[in-house]
Amino acid sequence: MAQFFAYIVYKNGVADDSALEIVSAVKKIDSSAAVTAIVTGSGADLDKVANEVAASYPEVWKISNDALAYPNAETVRKALINNLPADGVILMPHDTFGMDLAPGLSIKLDSAFVSDVVDFEGVEGSDIKIVRQEFAGQVSTHLKCDMSGGAVITLRPGVFPPDESKSAGGKVVDKDAGDVSAKRKYLETVVAEVGDVDITKSEILVSVGRGIEDQENLEIIHELAKAMGADVACSRPIVDAKWLEKSRQVGTSGLTVKPKVYLAVGISGSFQHMGGIKGNPFLIAINKNPKAPIFQVADVGVEEDILEFLPELTEAINEAK
Amino acid sequence: MEILVCVKRVPDTAENEIEVNSDGTDIERDDLVYSVNEWDNYAVEEAIQIKDKVGGTVTVVTVGDDESEEVLRREMAMGADNGILLNDDAFEGSDGKGVAAILKAAVQKGNYDLILTGAQADDGAAQVGGMLAAMLDLPYASLVNYIDVSDGKKLKVGREVEGGNQEMNEIELPCVLSIQTGINEPRYVGIRGIRKVASVEIPTYGASDLGLDAGTVGAGAAKVKRLDYFVPDLGEGAEMLEGSTEEKVAKLIELLKAKGGIK
């Protein structure tokens, strides 16, 4: 069986949730596999994370180099190529760093590549049976991935349950990064601006997506939110179109909210959007497309055109007051 | 600056209810509305804006069939100078790596300073840009939402990372960037604009034109193969409200009140 590796993403000396999710993901491929964790960086944060994940992985490769202290997939990729066996299977999260690192890594290792995996359904010979979603989550697909020559696999964050057993009692092994020179240099991280309303503190959110169709139609959202005593949030396409501020965007590339009630209108429900909704709110979805993935995760669904339905809803709420 | 933008014709997921066909081999493709992949459209707009600032040309390229020509013409109507169609039966069944290998061969036929792709397309894999860069040994940055071209030898680029933060990088030219939506506001293309480019010649290259060994692309070379499409059994899902609009409104208000959704 193949040798499995987990690339550990971390921030401020604390491992990302994906570090424990990869442990359970590999068990779905091969329940007897001993997975090696790889941590790159430098200084105290690196040592701390290496020791943290040693509780969950029997062996941790610690690759220390000053050039690896910054988020730069180009340097990390070189450090991995300098250390990984050609037929290794390496897993990492499908987050903004994994998306930067993984595709090119698969080319340099000449191995198979599958991204944004949501499930594994066993192994036959050297083929892993993999589940992904396509077309904005509207349909799923089974893929067969030949891992005999190695594989790079990214996992959808939050899908595999974290393995909390922490009984590996692993050892940390120092590895040499080798040449990590790169034609790309990290400069700085610009932190997102804070908006006029802090939606991360809102108890009731009316969140609007692409289904609103036109900027002028946003008025019906504001009126509904006013009637409910809610704040207005949105999904990515509304910010891309510059109809609402970035500080109103819910999702992995926006803000994480934890309201009591979340009313999603005209939102299809991509995993990036759903990733920004925490605290298990009562989730209501209104969408005219019955195939919209949001209906799979909402508590209550209404199949209606929001442009016609919402004004009636607003009027009825105002009358009921 | 010589800029190449890789684009793809995809079913528009905002306009279609995507369903699996009867034997699960594909999605139901009859009556689908197709368009240029949304991310690619932002990439083309960005390329045109860079050209307007510093001069040069913008070429759009796609791996696809005859019908893919329409997306090339659409992007040319936006302001791209040239289109290239990469079409060959041997390309069928290519995995991400196969598509990147085809594009690599097309890149090497030209002399480009900057290669742009969309951050992802209809399969959500977000793979071709990073693969192409690695095959060409060029530096790469993904999820780019800001490009500063004021220095001729390198770019300053912003990457959109978690929490809406922006990671600033310096990257040497030539390079490959994958473009995130929202980086600009893509211009509107009217029917008149498309008519203007309707008769422009678009060269088509196959495997032999590109000097590609057919064994390195297509289904035969793919390490990742599709078994089927399916709709997963997701358990209960949402409780769907039924009845007339008035009845749905009444039920919804009742639920909102019960859950503290009306203040």
Side-chain angles (χ1 to χ4, degrees):
Chain A
M1 195 41 119
Q3 203 180 347
F4 288 92
F5 297 87
Y7 181 75
I8 307 297
V9 172
Y10 64 93
K11 204 174 173 184
N12 303 325
V14 179
D16 182 66
D17 293 346
S18 59
L20 300 183
E21 293 167 16
I22 296 172
V23 177
S24 20
V26 175
K27 279 189 183 147
K28 291 203 82 170
I29 304 173
D30 175 4
S31 56
S32 66
V35 189
T36 301
I38 303 180
V39 196
T40 64
S42 77
D45 278 5
L46 175 67
D47 295 340
K48 202 172 153 217
V49 174
N51 290 329
E52 179 192 348
V53 296
S56 303
Y57 291 88
E59 187 163 320
V60 180
W61 289 2
K62 187 174 85 175
I63 306 179
S64 175
N65 185 303
D66 288 345
L68 299 171
Y70 306 99
N72 185 345
E74 301 279 290
T75 54
V76 170
R77 189 171 74 213
K78 282 199 162 177
L80 294 180
I81 294 161
N82 293 340
N83 282 282
L84 282 170
D87 58 352
V89 176
I90 182 162
L91 296 93
M92 64 185 77
H94 187 68
D95 61 5
T96 64
F97 192 76
M99 287 163 90
D100 219 29
L101 171 65
L105 180 66
S106 78
I107 295 302
K108 293 299 183 189
L109 294 171
D110 196 21
S111 53
F113 178 69
V114 185
S115 66
D116 194 21
V117 171
V118 299
D119 205 2
F120 295 105
E121 291 185 359
V123 177
E124 219 174 280
S126 62
D127 289 334
I128 322 177
K129 193 174 177 189
I130 289 175
V131 180
R132 297 184 71 251
Q133 295 182 342
E134 295 195 358
F135 303 105
Q138 293 192 53
V139 296
S140 293
T141 184
H142 285 114
L143 301 174
K144 191 172 73 172
C145 169
D146 177 6
M147 60 173 175
S148 59
V152 177
I153 296 172
T154 69
L155 307 177
R156 178 172 296 185
V159 169
F160 294 91
D163 185 310
E164 304 279 5
S165 53
K166 300 192 179 174
S167 54
K171 59 171 190 237
V172 177
V173 181
D174 284 300
K175 292 276 177 177
D176 186 16
D179 171 23
V180 290
S181 60
K183 292 178 179 169
R184 178 177 138 191
K185 195 172 104 188
Y186 170 81
L187 299 173
E188 59 171 336
T189 298
V190 182
V191 177
E193 280 174 34
V194 180
D196 52 344
V197 174
D198 184 0
I199 59 169
T200 66
K201 298 206 164 60
S202 304
E203 290 199 343
I204 313 170
L205 284 171
V206 175
S207 196
V208 57
R210 202 191 292 267
I212 196 68
E213 291 178 8
D214 199 317
Q215 185 168 20
E216 285 174 13
N217 296 335
L218 278 178
E219 193 52 35
I220 66 175
I221 305 299
H222 291 295
E223 280 168 8
L224 173 61
K226 194 175 158 202
M228 290 168 61
D231 292 319
V232 173
C234 66
S235 65
R236 163 164 210 118
I238 303 300
V239 175
D240 284 347
K242 316 266 191 296
W243 295 348
L244 286 172
E245 298 290 311
K246 182 92 184 164
S247 59
R248 300 273 183 167
Q249 186 192 328
V250 174
T252 50
S253 62
L255 294 169
T256 299
V257 298
K258 36 185 189 312
K260 281 187 194 154
V261 174
Y262 192 86
L263 177 58
V265 300
I267 287 178
S268 67
S270 71
F271 81 90
Q272 291 95 339
H273 182 74
M274 303 317 294
I277 307 171
K278 301 288 181 201
N280 196 24
F282 187 68
L283 178 57
I284 304 164
I286 309 177
N287 200 301
K288 66 180 173 188
N289 183 352
K291 296 277 187 291
I294 195 150
F295 287 133
Q296 297 160 8
V297 291
D299 295 294
V300 169
V302 184
E303 185 190 333
E304 285 276 357
D305 184 342
I306 58 169
L307 299 181
E308 289 158 19
F309 186 78
L310 296 188
E312 294 200 35
L313 178 63
T314 304
E315 198 185 324
I317 291 171
N318 284 331
E319 277 171 12
K321 276 186 177 172
Chain B
M1 194 172 301
E2 301 298 305
I3 309 173
L4 181 72
V5 190
C6 309
V7 303
K8 185 179 181 186
R9 177 178 181 263
V10 299
D12 187 336
T13 52
E15 294 292 328
N16 294 295
E17 292 171 22
I18 308 285
E19 303 202 34
V20 178
N21 71 4
S22 55
D23 58 2
T25 52
D26 197 1
I27 57 168
E28 197 56 73
R29 296 210 182 246
D30 293 343
D31 306 320
L32 280 186
V33 179
Y34 282 83
S35 58
V36 64
N37 175 41
E38 191 179 359
W39 285 264
D40 303 346
N41 205 41
Y42 283 91
V44 172
E45 175 64 36
E46 194 64 19
I48 295 167
Q49 290 189 14
I50 293 172
K51 182 187 89 166
D52 288 348
K53 251 177 238 154
V54 300
T57 65
V58 174
T59 303
V60 285
V61 63
T62 191
V63 179
D65 55 16
D66 291 337
E67 288 183 278
S68 293
E69 217 185 270
E70 75 185 28
V71 303
L72 294 176
R73 287 202 196 280
R74 192 195 172 282
E75 304 308 289
M76 289 166 76
M78 278 175 80
D81 303 277
N82 314 301
I84 302 171
L85 177 62
L86 308 175
N87 184 4
D88 196 314
D89 291 344
F91 299 164
E92 289 269 329
S94 293
D95 59 4
K97 196 173 172 182
V99 172
I102 298 162
L103 289 169
K104 177 199 173 194
V107 169
Q108 288 175 328
K109 275 182 89 80
N111 189 16
Y112 302 102
D113 305 297
L114 178 61
I115 298 152
L116 304 181
T117 70
Q120 64 177 65
D122 51 347
D123 59 7
Q127 59 188 347
V128 168
M131 288 178 164
L132 178 60
M135 285 179 178
L136 292 164
D137 264 322
L138 294 179
Y140 173 66
S142 65
L143 301 163
V144 168
N145 65 356
Y146 171 83
I147 301 177
D148 177 354
V149 290
S150 49
D151 184 319
K153 290 208 173 75
K154 53 184 188 287
L155 303 177
K156 189 176 175 186
V157 301
R159 294 185 63 235
E160 186 185 84
V161 295
E162 278 75 13
N165 297 341
Q166 191 182 37
E167 184 195 286
M168 303 306 296
N169 292 269
E170 215 171 65
I171 190 164
E172 288 178 28
L173 288 169
C175 66
V176 181
L177 305 176
S178 88
I179 302 298
Q180 178 60 293
T181 57
I183 186 174
N184 52 43
E185 292 175 68
R187 66 198 67 191
Y188 175 76
V189 178
I191 196 87
R192 191 181 297 175
I194 291 175
R195 257 191 224 131
K196 267 191 188 165
V197 294
S199 58
V200 178
E201 180 104 1
I202 292 181
T204 302
Y205 301 132
S208 60
D209 304 310
L210 295 169
L212 271 172
D213 176 355
T216 61
V217 296
K223 289 182 178 177
V224 180
K225 293 188 170 70
R226 185 183 314 287
L227 298 171
D228 63 2
Y229 281 104
F230 69 104
V231 177
D233 178 17
L234 290 152
E236 290 176 22
E239 175 203 343
M240 299 300 288
L241 300 186
E242 306 291 345
S244 67
T245 304
E246 292 76 41
E247 286 165 340
K248 288 179 189 169
V249 165
K251 278 183 201 165
L252 199 47
I253 290 178
E254 202 178 302
L255 280 165
L256 282 170
K257 278 184 177 162
K259 300 289 178 183
I262 297 178
K263 265 186 193 163

